[in-house]
Amino acid sequence: MNFYRAFGSKLRQVRKVAGLTQEVLAERVGLSRPSVTNIERGNQQIPLHMLEAFASVLGVKPCELLPENTRSKTEDQIPKELADKLAEREKAADQRE
């Protein structure tokens, strides 16, 4: 399955769990219903900023809309030293909130 078809399938799944129709989702992200249909079918690509818009409307993190096979654990992608620094920064940011 190509990336956009897998993304569209994931978007459809999350949209249905959220209890939204294609029409309502389209209205809330500023697209037409046919565009959402085409995105869900993998026939239309989305600009990166739309990933954030979809996630916000659906109440999920943007990474949760990405197909499973495109996500990896942070530890597998970056050196441990850098992962530790990132974890420290996240912890400090959480403490400030």
Side-chain angles (χ1 to χ4, degrees):
M1 182 179 290
N2 76 32
F3 175 83
Y4 290 103
R5 192 170 306 145
F7 171 78
S9 178
K10 185 75 169 184
L11 180 65
R12 180 182 312 110
Q13 177 186 17
V14 175
R15 174 183 59 77
K16 287 182 175 185
V17 169
L20 298 179
T21 63
Q22 287 180 336
E23 188 170 345
V24 170
L25 178 60
E27 182 180 305
R28 291 185 184 174
V29 297
L31 295 174
S32 66
R33 187 207 47 79
S35 285
V36 171
T37 299
N38 285 326
I39 292 166
E40 288 185 354
R41 290 179 179 166
N43 296 331
Q44 182 174 330
Q45 299 177 2
I46 66 164
L48 188 56
H49 72 277
M50 290 305 301
L51 178 62
E52 175 65 34
F54 281 122
S56 177
V57 168
L58 295 169
V60 297
K61 294 178 183 178
C63 66
E64 294 178 82
L65 293 175
L66 297 176
E68 296 296 325
N69 61 348
T70 63
R71 294 188 283 161
S72 339
K73 294 181 179 175
T74 303
E75 298 83 30
D76 294 339
Q77 294 180 338
I78 59 175
K80 181 176 177 357
E81 181 179 313
L82 184 55
D84 291 343
K85 285 183 180 181
L86 289 172
E88 287 174 21
R89 286 185 182 179
E90 288 176 0
K91 184 177 178 182
D94 289 343
Q95 290 174 348
R96 287 191 301 262
E97 292 179 352

